[in-house]
Amino acid sequence: MPLISLEALRSKRALGWLSWHLRRRRRYRPAVLEALLADLARTAPDQLAISGDLTQISLEHEFRDAASWLARLGPPGRVSAIPGNHDAYVPVPRERGWQHWNPYLASDPGESDDFPSVRVRGEIALVGVCTAQPTRPFLATGRVGRDQLARLDAALERLAAAGLCRVVLIHHPPVAGLTSRRRSLLDADAFGEVVRRRGAELVLHGHLHRTTLVSLPGPERPIPVAGVPSASHAGPDPARCAAYHLYEIERARDGFAIRRRVRAWDPALGRFAARGSDESIGVVS
Ligand SMILES: [Fe+2]
């Protein structure tokens, strides 16, 4: 158990630190992350999108460790990330927090420094929305905020005009009813209005620690909204076990055809393996 200063243990961090060491640490295992890296070497996706919560209580050594882990996943040109609520557990100066991941968070050159990030990779535009903000103890809410929503609106319109497949990455599920209010996205309705007006081809989120698939209304058709479990959870509930999702995206006559495969931690095998069969989650002919 690492030594933590009394200053760092104040308030919410103290509760989070206890929760981690008394309960959650047994479920989130480094060995599962190693197995994940091995499986990713086998499946070799072109791009990796990380939906946040790379730290537990936003300590600087956690940010440094996560930066090392990101580097093992791949170079910033292939790996994109956004922060989650645990990465803003308490207010932390940027240079002692997310700055450690900047190459993986930052937009392409020529884009704005503010979130949402915009990273174009081939025909895919990854749009990274930040919902992470410090909250009071026992809350895990997120918020996009009015200014970021305005920038998201403009980015989605511009990327659609460029004919790109817009994949929005956001930590909190932007759909009401998927989680309790104390863990919810507080301005999910406003986010929903932006994507209903501008559209998106796919929305990816984390936070719930389970595989989900719902949709939001879009301007022409429903927009798939897919949730991914934790990458390291090895607890007893198979529905919450570590997993990642592989998406195959192909241009089609009327947009983009999207298929999803689930790769999940299998405790009996001691590795990741396919769970279920491929699903078609984007429309299209
Ligand atoms: Fe979260």
Side-chain angles (χ1 to χ4, degrees):
M1 190 177 290
L3 290 173
I4 304 294
S5 74
L6 281 176
E7 186 276 327
L9 279 173
R10 276 192 310 198
S11 70
K12 184 175 177 180
R13 253 190 188 147
L15 295 167
W17 188 85
L18 283 171
S19 164
W20 172 242
H21 285 284
L22 295 179
R23 185 170 60 91
R24 306 175 75 221
R25 190 169 179 229
R26 288 195 294 277
R27 298 180 187 163
Y28 296 87
R29 300 208 187 130
V32 179
L33 285 177
E34 292 300 320
L36 172 69
L37 286 169
D39 202 59
L40 286 170
R42 277 191 287 273
T43 56
D46 296 324
Q47 290 291 323
L48 293 165
I50 316 294
S51 56
D53 279 356
L54 278 75
T55 71
Q56 289 299 326
I57 52 175
S58 293
L59 291 166
E60 188 171 8
H61 77 80
E62 294 180 319
F63 284 102
R64 282 197 302 266
D65 290 349
S68 301
W69 191 76
L70 286 169
R72 292 184 65 199
L73 277 177
R78 183 176 170 239
V79 181
S80 302
I82 53 167
N85 53 296
H86 280 267
D87 309 320
Y89 208 73
V90 294
V92 175
R94 195 177 166 107
E95 66 276 10
R96 292 169 61 186
W98 303 341
Q99 191 70 34
H100 290 286
W101 311 338
N102 208 40
Y104 296 89
L105 301 175
S107 289
D108 290 342
E111 297 281 351
S112 160
D113 287 341
D114 293 320
F115 285 108
S117 57
V118 174
R119 297 161 70 95
V120 176
R121 306 289 183 263
E123 291 192 300
I124 311 293
L126 271 166
V127 181
V129 174
C130 180
T131 58
Q133 56 172 18
T135 60
R136 294 202 312 275
F138 306 111
L139 291 180
T141 50
R143 188 185 293 279
V144 183
R146 200 170 49 185
D147 292 349
Q148 185 178 193
L149 283 167
R151 292 191 295 270
L152 175 66
D153 186 298
L156 291 176
E157 183 182 29
R158 175 168 57 90
L159 297 167
L164 296 168
C165 178
R166 298 160 298 170
V167 178
V168 178
L169 188 59
I170 181 168
H171 181 71
H172 290 77
V175 178
L178 282 181
T179 188
S180 63
R181 178 156 175 84
R182 71 172 193 86
R183 293 173 49 79
S184 66
L185 182 65
L186 297 173
D187 49 2
D189 288 351
F191 177 92
E193 281 172 29
V194 170
V195 298
R196 188 177 60 214
R197 183 164 56 244
R198 299 301 182 198
E201 279 57 53
L202 179 62
V203 176
L204 303 176
H205 69 82
H207 195 55
L208 299 183
H209 294 203
R210 58 181 196 270
T211 291
T212 55
L213 181 60
V214 296
S215 66
L216 281 169
E220 290 155 13
R221 60 176 76 103
I223 299 165
V225 177
V228 70
S230 148
S232 64
H233 193 276
D237 178 0
R240 294 173 67 85
C241 254
Y244 69 97
H245 296 162
L246 281 171
Y247 293 91
E248 280 183 22
I249 301 176
E250 279 184 320
R251 187 174 284 282
R253 189 158 46 107
D254 189 25
F256 291 89
I258 302 175
R259 298 186 68 77
R260 174 169 85 169
R261 282 187 284 153
V262 178
R263 303 278 302 174
W265 167 249
D266 185 326
L269 296 175
R271 63 177 173 82
F272 281 69
R275 183 201 284 161
S277 49
D278 287 23
E279 315 168 74
S280 177
I281 67 168
V283 178
V284 218
S285 41

